[in-house]
Amino acid sequence: MPSLFDQQVRRPLADLLRPQTIDDVVGQNHLLGENAPLGRMLKSGKITSFILWGPPGCGKTTIARLIAKHTNMYFEPLSAVFSGVSDLRKVFDTAKMRQETGRQTLLFVDEIHRFNRAQQDAFLPYVENGTIVLIGATTENPSFELNAALLSRAKVFVLKRLTEDALEEIILHAEKQMAKSLPITEASRDLIKSMADGDGRYLSNMIEALYDCTTDHLIDTDELMTVVSQRPAVYDKDRDGHYNLISAVHKSLRGSDPDAALYWVARMMTSGEDPKYIFRRLTRFAVEDIGLADPNALHQAVSAWEAYERLGSPEGDLALAQLTVYLATAPKSIGVYRAWNEVSKTAKETGSLMPPMNILNAPTKLMAELGYNKNYQYDPDCPDGFSGANYFPEKMGRRKFYTPIERGFEREICKRLAYWENLRNKKNGSEF
């Protein structure tokens, strides 16, 4: 039986395919090209601390290793998932001793966002005095997950999902390494690139599974699914991907694009999002972005939400889809939303101004003697059903907060407001 030290023990294909030089890295030329940020840094030989932000399997660890190799720095890998303050102290102490011998340490911290704020602060003095060059890798938005102090000392480089062309390069490299073509049809070849979802590591694992499959024919798309498993979508319900997708839903609805909105909602659902969260956001959209341009939008949202809770999935999924299409195709208005924001601000500014005395009830004799409810006009008794009275505080004067638009049901509201405004001006003999 071969031991771990036996040369006959086969290395994983992903390890065999790992790039050996910076030029071998695929899909990140915007960072590693000759005139790109990291390319220029490597050419100058002056490596400063930086953060690599990108999705899984795009080459973050590989790039860090190759930079250390290119510059002859000592490569010290560390995972924030399995390390604590004591591990960091050991790394820093060893790096100090190594620095005294004239060799610098490149500390690579995978999943750096997993470190808490205090742990992140521990890097600062060692980054500043040059004891280490820090390369952090994260799949999460550094703006939210990393200390401002650390970000001010480390540039952020954004890595891209691997394109289909980049994934094809990995397949070609594997075929060259194995000295034979993948035993799959062209349709299956396209499918595994799609299934990889931009993750080169996952693609390499699928390729290895296909080479391990003993077959005397090319594997078609139906058989492919029995050999390799579908990669779940990259999605974390409390992190960046979650907010990116709900933002895409919101913007697609606002842009009246039902097809795009349905796609993003489906992406969230297939990724395991809580349907209640989506319904809550869609209900908010109904009152914020549609409002009175289509008063029925809110009823649709509440009814669809209730239908989903009664039916569950998958039957209730159609209620979610119907609501998405309804909201996307409804006329849009933020008249009420703007009015509420403005009136809330004004309410804070005006403090405790009293309403006009004539619209206050007078339940006691004293209050009536003081002028409460004096000369109040009951609007339904007026000839036009409209008194034109002032309902704002007397010291404040009239203000206009709600401005409907000439779209959807708000067209009718515009007509009503214009009619009442005209009556008010006639009754009061003034212009608003």
Side-chain angles (χ1 to χ4, degrees), residues 144-187:
F144 303 137
E145 303 296 333
L146 300 184
N147 282 1
L150 185 57
L151 286 176
S152 70
R153 292 164 175 80
K155 296 177 182 178
V156 175
F157 296 126
V158 182
L159 279 73
K160 298 178 179 178
R161 295 173 71 253
L162 297 187
T163 63
E164 291 214 355
D165 288 342
L167 295 171
E168 178 64 24
E169 286 190 52
I170 293 174
I171 295 175
L172 292 172
H173 184 34
E175 290 177 327
K176 183 178 179 181
Q177 183 76 34
M178 301 298 290
K180 60 180 179 179
S181 299
L182 269 177
I184 58 177
T185 64
E186 281 300 315

Side-chain angles (χ1 to χ4, degrees), residues 367-378:
M367 294 173 75
E369 290 174 352
L370 291 174
Y372 282 63
N373 207 235
K374 185 178 181 180
N375 299 323
Y376 169 65
Q377 293 178 283
Y378 185 60

Side-chain angles (χ1 to χ4, degrees), residues 264-284:
W264 293 118
V265 168
R267 277 278 301 274
M268 297 188 78
M269 288 290 285
T270 56
S271 298
E273 181 59 74
D274 184 352
K276 290 180 181 178
Y277 173 77
I278 302 176
F279 274 111
R280 184 174 70 81
R281 291 300 297 259
L282 295 187
T283 303
R284 169 66 189 259

Side-chain angles (χ1 to χ4, degrees), residues 176-233:
K176 183 178 179 181
Q177 183 76 34
M178 301 298 290
K180 60 180 179 179
S181 299
L182 269 177
I184 58 177
T185 64
E186 281 300 315
S188 294
R189 193 181 185 97
D190 291 337
L191 182 56
I192 63 170
K193 287 185 284 188
S194 176
M195 291 170 64
D197 196 20
D199 187 333
R201 186 186 307 111
Y202 186 77
L203 177 65
S204 297
N205 292 336
M206 284 194 290
I207 293 171
E208 185 165 29
L210 289 166
Y211 275 128
D212 287 342
C213 180
T214 55
T215 178
D216 57 358
H217 64 277
L218 296 181
I219 298 171
D220 61 19
T221 54
D222 291 332
E223 188 179 355
L224 179 70
M225 300 307 292
T226 66
V227 179
V228 299
S229 58
Q230 175 70 50
R231 179 184 186 276

